[in-house]
Amino acid sequence: MQRLDTVELLDDPALSDAVVAEAYSDLARTNRWLGNTRAILRRLKGSGARSVLDLGCGQGALLEEIRDTLGLSVTGFDLRPAPRASVGIVTGDAVKDPLPQADVVLAVLMVHHLSEDEIVRLIRNVSHASHRFIILDLVRHWLPLWLFRIFVAPFLSHINAADGATSVRRAYTPRELRKIVNRAVEGTSACVRHTAAPFYIRQIVDISW
Ligand SMILES: C[S@@+](CC[C@H](N)C(=O)[O-])C[C@H]1O[C@@H](n2cnc3c(N)ncnc32)[C@H](O)[C@@H]1O
């Protein structure tokens, strides 16, 4: 499947706050159903981290869960100001703007929004703010695309149903993402762990410097 770099409906700056808030809530529910939230909590639990920064955090649902479950200090960072949020969120471009320091930085369902060069710049930018970066994203493959269309999309708003399918087609294959990450950390002492979940429902890249 060719990578499709189409802008998603949620990226439209003209959407009302109410529509954006509802789409982010739907996304948070989808992250729970797919086990993405649990996968992140599992990696943070017992890691010794005290602070977490989530890049492309939307309105901060994952951070609320991390704060309430693990008691960590949390900060969000997103291009778009959040319509509703109960955590602190900094507005900016994670690829090029200075980032707040944190023990662990996350990017969940965010890197498929970026080009290969932007992901390289993002990873290098994060290395100035943290010693650990966990990227969780989709896998571009027909299997998760059809699973999403059949089992998940019917329960979502039309924006999330359309964006979910676009996101799978916009995502990187594990091989592509690994190559991009290797380019970003080349010449550093970074340790990279990269896993893909069954049925390719997600991939996680865990980088430590
Ligand atoms: C698909 S949403 C994911 C939201 C949230 N992480 C979740 O899983 O529910 C992608 C988010 O990344 C943000 N984003 C995209 N590019 C970004 C960038 N360069 N810097 C910061 N945020 C970015 C978008 O504004 C959007 O909120």
Side-chain angles (χ1 to χ4, degrees):
M1 195 193 303
Q2 284 290 321
R3 180 167 188 256
L4 182 83
D5 198 11
T6 314
V7 176
E8 293 167 40
L9 300 180
L10 184 55
D11 293 331
D12 179 354
L15 289 179
S16 73
D17 281 358
V19 171
V20 173
E22 191 45 45
Y24 280 142
S25 301
D26 232 8
L27 255 172
R29 266 194 300 278
T30 310
N31 275 329
R32 279 189 217 106
W33 289 340
L34 294 178
N36 294 342
T37 305
R38 215 173 26 251
I40 291 291
L41 289 173
R42 218 181 301 123
R43 280 177 189 249
L44 292 175
K45 200 171 173 187
S47 68
R50 282 176 301 177
S51 57
V52 173
L53 172 69
D54 185 12
L55 307 176
C57 66
Q59 58 191 0
L62 175 62
L63 290 173
E64 283 180 41
E65 193 117 8
I66 291 169
R67 180 195 60 198
D68 298 346
T69 314
L70 303 177
L72 307 187
S73 142
V74 297
T75 309
F77 195 98
D78 204 287
L79 271 182
R80 181 200 280 272
R84 286 183 213 146
S86 73
V87 297
I89 298 180
V90 178
T91 305
D93 184 341
V95 171
K96 55 176 194 237
D97 291 332
L99 301 172
Q101 298 284 319
D103 293 333
V104 179
V105 176
L106 309 173
V108 175
L109 304 184
M110 187 262 199
V111 300
H112 64 268
H113 287 253
L114 306 179
S115 68
E116 298 192 9
D117 284 349
E118 285 172 327
I119 298 174
V120 169
R121 289 167 62 202
L122 173 79
I123 293 169
R124 291 181 181 160
N125 199 21
V126 170
S127 73
H128 301 300
S130 185
H131 293 295
R132 189 165 175 205
F133 187 21
I134 302 174
I135 299 169
L136 184 154
D137 217 282
L138 299 164
V139 175
R140 191 176 78 250
H141 191 279
W142 63 268
L143 191 52
L145 181 59
W146 282 104
L147 289 174
F148 176 81
R149 283 185 173 149
I150 295 166
F151 295 109
V152 183
F155 301 100
L156 301 178
S157 69
H158 84 279
I159 290 187
N160 292 71
D163 281 356
T166 303
S167 298
V168 174
R169 306 197 65 180
R170 209 180 174 192
Y172 293 91
T173 65
R175 186 194 287 250
E176 288 167 346
L177 189 57
R178 185 57 196 249
K179 217 168 136 193
I180 297 166
V181 172
N182 286 348
R183 179 150 72 89
V185 302
E186 200 178 357
T188 73
S189 57
C191 162
V192 179
R193 284 179 296 152
H194 188 179
T195 52
F199 307 112
Y200 291 127
I201 58 168
R202 68 180 152 264
Q203 57 181 323
I204 297 182
V205 180
D206 193 336
I207 310 171
S208 307
W209 288 274

